[in-house]
Amino acid sequence: MRPIIGVACTKMYFPDNNLDQYFYVGSGYVEGIARCGGIPLILPLLTNPDAPFRAMIESLDGLILTGGDDPAPHLYGEEPLQGLGNIEYERDVAELEVIKLALELKKPILGICRGMQILNVACGGTLIQDIPRQVPGAFQHAQKGSRQYGAHKVTLQPGFVADAIGKSEILVNTSHHQAVKDVAPGFTMTGSAADGVIEAIESTNGLHVGLQWHPERMWGHDSDMLKVAEAFVAKVKQKKLQTK
């Protein structure tokens, strides 16, 4: 019984075409879910007001929230600060609706990079708008080398990732300038870098996980990262069986 896992994708213009928008998502998310026994379903973040999001989420067993641009600061009660990057407000609105429905319907969620950030915002948390300006002594969290390989270590607390990998410390890639500041109510911090930046959060009910790094860029060759995908697919499958 392969669970159906939606992979949220957003819109973009292709170079030399500013008339037509296309939905897109990194292939790593999709390939990892398929490789680990799930059925990946690309979920378009529609921007029309009558988008059938409820029916779309009802058809899924789980949801992956993917990387991308910065969430709008007013969504977590802040003004834009220096260092804030590009905003995709239409994506924010669509994604918040998708998250609200997934939470209501108790669908497991894996948020990756921006996905962790918007999950935290949706549940009442806040964000660091720009790590270099707001975290004294922070590491370089936007690595210059290949993002298929690790750049800094993350210490894990007991939770989803530590259980999946069987380690208390892992080497992760990094390509972000924002991070979780105040963890949302109902969530706990389960991973952090040595500079204090939060790298993983998990809901107390065990259904919703956020990772600040990009395991989908690594799980093609890194067995630890593939275990993350395997564990999420297993979590979704278990929840599917419980609700039948």
Side-chain angles (χ1 to χ4, degrees):
M1 184 182 298
R2 294 166 66 98
I4 300 172
I5 299 176
V7 183
C9 66
T10 190
K11 293 179 179 179
M12 71 176 294
Y13 291 106
F14 283 172
D16 302 320
N17 182 348
N18 61 1
L19 299 175
D20 304 307
Q21 284 188 308
Y22 297 84
F23 286 107
Y24 79 100
V25 69
S27 61
Y29 301 101
V30 175
E31 291 169 353
I33 293 305
R35 182 177 174 186
C36 294
I39 299 173
L41 184 67
I42 295 177
L43 181 74
L45 293 172
L46 302 170
T47 54
N48 49 305
D50 58 347
F53 281 136
R54 178 172 289 276
M56 293 164 71
I57 299 302
E58 286 175 345
S59 72
L60 302 175
D61 300 311
L63 174 66
I64 291 182
L65 303 170
T66 58
D69 290 333
D70 297 351
H74 73 266
L75 296 172
Y76 49 94
E78 292 191 7
E79 299 294 337
L81 302 178
Q82 295 295 327
L84 180 70
N86 293 330
I87 300 296
E88 292 181 79
Y89 186 61
E90 286 187 332
R91 177 178 182 177
D92 291 341
V93 172
E95 214 154 27
L96 289 173
E97 180 64 18
V98 164
I99 294 169
K100 181 184 77 172
L101 290 165
L103 294 171
E104 175 192 331
L105 297 170
K106 296 181 172 56
K107 307 287 187 177
I109 300 171
L110 175 61
I112 293 176
C113 200
R114 172 203 156 87
M116 177 172 100
Q117 296 164 10
I118 195 68
L119 175 62
N120 191 60
V121 169
C123 295
T126 65
L127 302 179
I128 296 168
Q129 292 188 37
D130 186 54
I131 291 170
R133 286 177 168 86
Q134 293 179 258
V135 181
F139 300 154
Q140 182 190 77
H141 284 272
Q143 72 189 78
K144 303 300 183 182
S146 171
R147 294 173 182 176
Q148 296 179 22
Y149 299 95
H152 70 74
K153 293 178 180 178
V154 167
T155 300
L156 301 173
Q157 305 302 319
F160 171 81
V161 183
D163 289 346
I165 298 176
K167 296 180 180 179
S168 61
E169 186 178 79
I170 55 173
L171 186 68
V172 304
N173 60 10
T174 183
S175 56
H176 63 105
H177 79 108
Q178 295 200 318
V180 167
K181 181 166 65 176
D182 299 308
V183 178
F187 283 74
T188 57
M189 185 276 290
T190 56
S192 61
D195 60 2
V197 170
I198 293 173
E199 293 280 341
I201 60 173
E202 184 173 348
S203 63
T204 53
N205 67 8
L207 285 179
H208 312 121
V209 178
L211 307 177
Q212 187 55 72
W213 67 95
H214 279 269
E216 84 287 352
R217 290 175 176 159
M218 301 178 70
W219 56 38
H221 62 84
D222 188 311
S223 61
D224 283 347
M225 293 303 150
L226 186 62
K227 289 175 184 176
V228 174
E230 292 170 343
F232 183 68
V233 172
K235 178 188 289 287
V236 175
K237 185 175 182 178
Q238 181 182 37
K239 184 64 171 63
K240 177 182 176 70
L241 291 171
Q242 289 172 349
T243 56
K244 285 183 71 73

